[in-house]
Amino acid sequence: QKEVEQDPGPLSVPEGAIVSLNCTYSNSAFQYFMWYRQYSRKGPELLMYTYSSGNKEDGRFTAQVDKSSKYISLFIRDSQPSDSATYLCASMNRDDKIIFGKGTRLHILP
Amino acid sequence: DTGVSQDPRHKITKRGQNVTFRCDPISEHNRLYWYRQTLGQGPEFLTYFQNEAQLEKSRLLSDRFSAERPKGSFSTLEIQRTEQGDSAMYLCASSPPAGSSEQYFGPGTRLTVT
């Protein structure tokens, strides 16, 4: 079992819809949780960074972490075609070594 | 541009050749990381530096791989006797001094071994 599991998709939704991306993790020692966005042939871009459980909102993006169920979510409101990318969820304990999921490919249909 | 930069962006080499990649972190970031990403996978940790000290190396980093950060600024990753299985995107990330664990990635170097 990989430490961070993520459905690779692809996930296609119409423009303007709310997108829900999810992943699970297995290592209880993870304390930091991240979402990165990666466009084709580009490096990952940090979108959201949270410590421990709870919600964090930044513009159209909301990240949720539930440590009791080891579940990480990212919600995108009012989705735009420019949101089409691969979204990588990631976790880390205090050793600075990020463990990534495989990424979910998202297509926003105009 | 004050982000992480990597050079070259693309490298095509023949099997058995040596290649070297360079990473320039964000100014004043003292931690620097190397990851490798293959198609359809998330990045995988290779190694990391705090200042000039290499603190951890993944089991993925075989003896053919070596990384340096001699003055605690830029870093190089060298692969000797390249194999086709080394074909991947090599990503560098940097992180500010202790207090924040956020890692910011560069654009990557895409290596193709023929």
Side-chain angles (χ1 to χ4, degrees), chain A residues 1-60:
Chain A
Q1 180 190 9
K2 286 183 71 73
E3 288 188 278
V4 178
E5 297 273 9
Q6 191 175 5
D7 186 334
L11 176 65
S12 297
V13 300
E15 182 177 357
I18 295 174
V19 175
S20 173
L21 302 169
N22 308 291
C23 69
T24 58
Y25 65 94
S26 58
N27 189 339
S28 299
F30 287 150
Q31 297 186 41
Y32 302 92
F33 305 92
M34 293 139 279
W35 285 95
Y36 283 84
R37 178 174 64 193
Q38 187 172 28
Y39 293 111
S40 182
R41 298 182 177 272
K42 303 291 186 184
E45 172 193 0
L46 181 62
L47 276 180
M48 302 291 280
Y49 174 88
T50 55
Y51 172 71
S52 194
S53 282
N55 293 1
K56 184 173 183 178
E57 186 174 325
D58 184 1
R60 296 185 296 113

Side-chain angles (χ1 to χ4, degrees), chain B residues 39-56:
Chain B
L39 200 61
Q41 304 294 319
E44 294 177 290
F45 171 83
L46 292 178
T47 188
Y48 100 93
F49 294 83
Q50 183 164 301
N51 299 312
E52 64 274 10
Q54 188 172 17
L55 297 188
E56 187 169 348

Side-chain angles (χ1 to χ4, degrees), chain B residues 27-93:
Chain B
S27 180
E28 297 182 357
H29 279 196
N30 68 333
R31 289 174 287 169
L32 186 149
Y33 310 81
W34 286 99
Y35 291 81
R36 180 170 69 187
Q37 185 176 26
T38 54
L39 200 61
Q41 304 294 319
E44 294 177 290
F45 171 83
L46 292 178
T47 188
Y48 100 93
F49 294 83
Q50 183 164 301
N51 299 312
E52 64 274 10
Q54 188 172 17
L55 297 188
E56 187 169 348
K57 292 169 62 173
S58 162
R59 286 170 295 179
L60 292 175
L61 218 62
S62 75
D63 291 345
R64 298 183 297 105
F65 288 71
S66 63
E68 294 183 342
R69 195 182 183 198
K71 297 182 179 179
S73 57
F74 73 90
S75 175
T76 58
L77 178 68
E78 181 183 15
I79 309 174
Q80 296 182 326
R81 305 180 303 281
T82 52
E83 302 173 356
Q84 287 189 319
D86 297 331
S87 295
M89 173 84 95
Y90 289 84
L91 293 160
C92 176

